[in-house]
Structure formats: structure tokens, C-alpha cells
Amino acid sequence: MDMHYLTVILLGIVEGLTEFLPVSSTGHLILASELLGYDASVWAMFNVMIQLGAILAVVVLYWRTFWAVAMGLLRLDPVSIRFVRNLLVAFIPAVVIGLALHDYIDTLLGSPRVVACALVVGGVAILVIERLIKEQRFHGIADIPLVRVIGIGFIQCLAMVPGVSRSGATIMGALTLGVERRTAAEFSFFLAIPTMLGASTLELLKKGDQLTSAQVGWDSIALGFIVSFIVALLVIKWFVGLVSRHGFAPFAWYRIIVGIGALVWLSLR
């Protein structure tokens, strides 16, 4: 297997491993481009497309939940209505702020030092939040009050800074607002579907002509998509079990170690 397909598989693994963990998939992909020395701009649309593989993993793993909500909507079930309402309301801030700051966000994506600093700061924030949270009153996505859902939606927007982590910001925001750990994690998974679909659609509309290139063709995109999907399937189930038992501190320390390591490496090269 040549280096091109090894890179495809590696990026698919990185995306699948990190998309739903509070460690920043975008940040890891940016650092991977620096470490491996490939042209990140050539692979930008590839990275967008393989994120959809990770999103598909959520749909497959939680298909019973989505089916039950869909049937509930047909019956006008209040719980199903609140479930969908909460996801849509939490999604709106990302739409508004993402469209307003899209060009600025693009400039940040080219800075591995921003990623490294955000990893460290985010890791410290997770450790602090884990120590401070006390009361966890909300044990279902439909049970989260609307005002707190809006708060989670705005906190998610912090992840527009590469290295912050969309899942990390959403989960930590939910915890600080009284949501139980497992529910916070699952809310982050479900919220990823409209958020990542929206971000991918925006990128395709703006840069659809760059979807494939001489270096990255449809075969590479398909392989990366499949690898990302399979790895994310495995990671999601493991992650929910882990945080239910041990919390998020292991990921905080991982972020701090990787961030400091990246800063040292970037300063020495």
C-alpha cells in the first residue's frame, strides 16, 4: 500500500477516534497535517466528507431512538416534540455565528499553534468543571429546559476555534447547566448531526469544485468515509460507558499532554 492510501486510512482513523471525544477532531487533523508534512489545503474537502462517516455512525447506533422520536412526532407526543425542539434550538447559534464568522474561522484553521493552545486550555477547563459540578438534575434530552438548551447552543460555538472540540464544549456546557453525564454525551452526539451536516453543506457550497483533486479522488474519499464510520461506531459505545464510570478527566489530561507536546515540537522544528 502506498503512502497516499496510508494517509487516507490514518486520517479516517483520526476522524473516527476524535469526532465524538472531547479532544477536537479538527485540531487533530490540523496537527496531523503538520506532523506528516502533507498539504492540508489539498485534503480540506476530504476531511469535510469523512466527517459524514462519523455522523452516520451516530445514526446507526441510535436508530431506535430516532425511530421512536419519529413515531412520537406523528402522535404529537410531547416528549418527542421537546426532543426535536431542543436539538434544533441548540443548533441555531452555530448557524448564525458560523455564517457570520466563516472567513475568520478559515484563517484559524491554518494555525497549529492555536490548536495546541486550545487543547491545553480546554483540558484545564475540563478538570476545573469536573471538580465544580455538583447537581445534575436533567436525565433526558427532552427534560432539559429551553433556556439551558440555548446556553448549550452558544457554548458549542466556542468549538469554532480549532482545538476547542465541538463535543467537548457541548458536553462541558451541558454539565455546567445541570445535565447528567450520559445525557450530556448523547446530546452532543445528536447535536453533531445537524451541526456537522450544516457545516459540511456550507463547505460544499463554497468549495464544491475542490471536492476531488488529482491527489484526492473519489476512491480516497470513499475509503476515508468507511474507515471513519467503522472507528466512530466502536468509539461511541466505549466513550459512553467510560464517562458514565470515570468522568472526563482522562481526556483532559490527554489534551494537556498533546497540546504541550505540540507546542514544544512546533517551537523546535
PDB file of all heavy atoms in Angstrom, residues 16-29:
ATOM      1  N   GLY A  16     -12.532   9.315  13.039  1.00  0.00           N
ATOM      2  CA  GLY A  16     -13.436   8.429  13.760  1.00  0.00           C
ATOM      3  C   GLY A  16     -13.156   8.374  15.244  1.00  0.00           C
ATOM      4  O   GLY A  16     -14.075   8.318  16.068  1.00  0.00           O
ATOM      5  N   LEU A  17     -11.862   8.422  15.611  1.00  0.00           N
ATOM      6  CA  LEU A  17     -11.480   8.377  17.019  1.00  0.00           C
ATOM      7  C   LEU A  17     -11.856   9.642  17.766  1.00  0.00           C
ATOM      8  O   LEU A  17     -12.263   9.594  18.932  1.00  0.00           O
ATOM      9  CB  LEU A  17      -9.962   8.168  17.144  1.00  0.00           C
ATOM     10  CG  LEU A  17      -9.419   6.744  17.085  1.00  0.00           C
ATOM     11  CD1 LEU A  17      -7.894   6.776  17.088  1.00  0.00           C
ATOM     12  CD2 LEU A  17      -9.929   5.911  18.260  1.00  0.00           C
ATOM     13  N   THR A  18     -11.712  10.777  17.115  1.00  0.00           N
ATOM     14  CA  THR A  18     -11.759  12.056  17.845  1.00  0.00           C
ATOM     15  C   THR A  18     -13.030  12.870  17.655  1.00  0.00           C
ATOM     16  O   THR A  18     -13.254  13.817  18.413  1.00  0.00           O
ATOM     17  CB  THR A  18     -10.559  12.941  17.444  1.00  0.00           C
ATOM     18  OG1 THR A  18     -10.598  13.177  16.026  1.00  0.00           O
ATOM     19  CG2 THR A  18      -9.242  12.257  17.783  1.00  0.00           C
ATOM     20  N   GLU A  19     -13.881  12.528  16.687  1.00  0.00           N
ATOM     21  CA  GLU A  19     -15.053  13.367  16.411  1.00  0.00           C
ATOM     22  C   GLU A  19     -15.974  13.495  17.618  1.00  0.00           C
ATOM     23  O   GLU A  19     -16.509  14.565  17.894  1.00  0.00           O
ATOM     24  CB  GLU A  19     -15.839  12.820  15.216  1.00  0.00           C
ATOM     25  CG  GLU A  19     -17.062  13.646  14.851  1.00  0.00           C
ATOM     26  CD  GLU A  19     -16.710  15.075  14.467  1.00  0.00           C
ATOM     27  OE1 GLU A  19     -15.845  15.266  13.592  1.00  0.00           O
ATOM     28  OE2 GLU A  19     -17.300  16.004  15.052  1.00  0.00           O
ATOM     29  N   PHE A  20     -16.156  12.415  18.370  1.00  0.00           N
ATOM     30  CA  PHE A  20     -17.116  12.447  19.474  1.00  0.00           C
ATOM     31  C   PHE A  20     -16.454  12.448  20.840  1.00  0.00           C
ATOM     32  O   PHE A  20     -17.136  12.467  21.864  1.00  0.00           O
ATOM     33  CB  PHE A  20     -18.081  11.270  19.344  1.00  0.00           C
ATOM     34  CG  PHE A  20     -18.865  11.321  18.068  1.00  0.00           C
ATOM     35  CD1 PHE A  20     -18.584  10.450  17.031  1.00  0.00           C
ATOM     36  CD2 PHE A  20     -19.842  12.284  17.876  1.00  0.00           C
ATOM     37  CE1 PHE A  20     -19.283  10.516  15.840  1.00  0.00           C
ATOM     38  CE2 PHE A  20     -20.552  12.363  16.691  1.00  0.00           C
ATOM     39  CZ  PHE A  20     -20.267  11.473  15.657  1.00  0.00           C
ATOM     40  N   LEU A  21     -15.118  12.431  20.871  1.00  0.00           N
ATOM     41  CA  LEU A  21     -14.402  12.581  22.130  1.00  0.00           C
ATOM     42  C   LEU A  21     -14.113  14.062  22.350  1.00  0.00           C
ATOM     43  O   LEU A  21     -13.963  14.815  21.384  1.00  0.00           O
ATOM     44  CB  LEU A  21     -13.088  11.796  22.100  1.00  0.00           C
ATOM     45  CG  LEU A  21     -13.174  10.296  21.820  1.00  0.00           C
ATOM     46  CD1 LEU A  21     -11.787   9.670  21.909  1.00  0.00           C
ATOM     47  CD2 LEU A  21     -14.127   9.600  22.786  1.00  0.00           C
ATOM     48  N   PRO A  22     -13.993  14.502  23.606  1.00  0.00           N
ATOM     49  CA  PRO A  22     -13.756  15.927  23.870  1.00  0.00           C
ATOM     50  C   PRO A  22     -12.295  16.332  23.678  1.00  0.00           C
ATOM     51  O   PRO A  22     -11.657  16.923  24.549  1.00  0.00           O
ATOM     52  CB  PRO A  22     -14.190  16.073  25.336  1.00  0.00           C
ATOM     53  CG  PRO A  22     -13.926  14.733  25.927  1.00  0.00           C
ATOM     54  CD  PRO A  22     -14.213  13.730  24.849  1.00  0.00           C
ATOM     55  N   VAL A  23     -11.745  15.987  22.486  1.00  0.00           N
ATOM     56  CA  VAL A  23     -10.321  16.244  22.228  1.00  0.00           C
ATOM     57  C   VAL A  23     -10.082  17.005  20.924  1.00  0.00           C
ATOM     58  O   VAL A  23      -8.938  17.315  20.600  1.00  0.00           O
ATOM     59  CB  VAL A  23      -9.519  14.928  22.210  1.00  0.00           C
ATOM     60  CG1 VAL A  23      -9.578  14.240  23.563  1.00  0.00           C
ATOM     61  CG2 VAL A  23     -10.006  13.989  21.108  1.00  0.00           C
ATOM     62  N   SER A  24     -11.128  17.287  20.153  1.00  0.00           N
ATOM     63  CA  SER A  24     -11.070  18.073  18.921  1.00  0.00           C
ATOM     64  C   SER A  24     -10.561  17.284  17.716  1.00  0.00           C
ATOM     65  O   SER A  24      -9.352  17.101  17.538  1.00  0.00           O
ATOM     66  CB  SER A  24     -10.219  19.338  19.072  1.00  0.00           C
ATOM     67  OG  SER A  24     -10.187  20.054  17.849  1.00  0.00           O
ATOM     68  N   SER A  25     -11.500  16.837  16.884  1.00  0.00           N
ATOM     69  CA  SER A  25     -11.127  16.127  15.650  1.00  0.00           C
ATOM     70  C   SER A  25     -10.443  17.069  14.674  1.00  0.00           C
ATOM     71  O   SER A  25      -9.420  16.722  14.060  1.00  0.00           O
ATOM     72  CB  SER A  25     -12.365  15.496  15.003  1.00  0.00           C
ATOM     73  OG  SER A  25     -13.317  16.498  14.654  1.00  0.00           O
ATOM     74  N   THR A  26     -10.975  18.287  14.526  1.00  0.00           N
ATOM     75  CA  THR A  26     -10.370  19.258  13.607  1.00  0.00           C
ATOM     76  C   THR A  26      -8.945  19.584  14.033  1.00  0.00           C
ATOM     77  O   THR A  26      -8.027  19.649  13.211  1.00  0.00           O
ATOM     78  CB  THR A  26     -11.213  20.548  13.551  1.00  0.00           C
ATOM     79  OG1 THR A  26     -12.531  20.230  13.110  1.00  0.00           O
ATOM     80  CG2 THR A  26     -10.591  21.555  12.590  1.00  0.00           C
ATOM     81  N   GLY A  27      -8.757  19.776  15.339  1.00  0.00           N
ATOM     82  CA  GLY A  27      -7.425  20.066  15.845  1.00  0.00           C
ATOM     83  C   GLY A  27      -6.448  18.938  15.560  1.00  0.00           C
ATOM     84  O   GLY A  27      -5.303  19.170  15.153  1.00  0.00           O
ATOM     85  N   HIS A  28      -6.886  17.703  15.734  1.00  0.00           N
ATOM     86  CA  HIS A  28      -6.014  16.565  15.463  1.00  0.00           C
ATOM     87  C   HIS A  28      -5.687  16.446  13.971  1.00  0.00           C
ATOM     88  O   HIS A  28      -4.557  16.087  13.609  1.00  0.00           O
ATOM     89  CB  HIS A  28      -6.659  15.278  15.975  1.00  0.00           C
ATOM     90  CG  HIS A  28      -6.430  15.027  17.433  1.00  0.00           C
ATOM     91  ND1 HIS A  28      -7.035  15.779  18.420  1.00  0.00           N
ATOM     92  CD2 HIS A  28      -5.636  14.125  18.075  1.00  0.00           C
ATOM     93  CE1 HIS A  28      -6.635  15.342  19.607  1.00  0.00           C
ATOM     94  NE2 HIS A  28      -5.788  14.337  19.427  1.00  0.00           N
ATOM     95  N   LEU A  29      -6.656  16.738  13.126  1.00  0.00           N
ATOM     96  CA  LEU A  29      -6.387  16.684  11.680  1.00  0.00           C
ATOM     97  C   LEU A  29      -5.393  17.770  11.270  1.00  0.00           C
ATOM     98  O   LEU A  29      -4.532  17.547  10.413  1.00  0.00           O
ATOM     99  CB  LEU A  29      -7.698  16.821  10.901  1.00  0.00           C
ATOM    100  CG  LEU A  29      -8.655  15.623  10.989  1.00  0.00           C
ATOM    101  CD1 LEU A  29     -10.007  15.960  10.370  1.00  0.00           C
ATOM    102  CD2 LEU A  29      -8.060  14.390  10.326  1.00  0.00           C
TER     103      LEU A  29
END
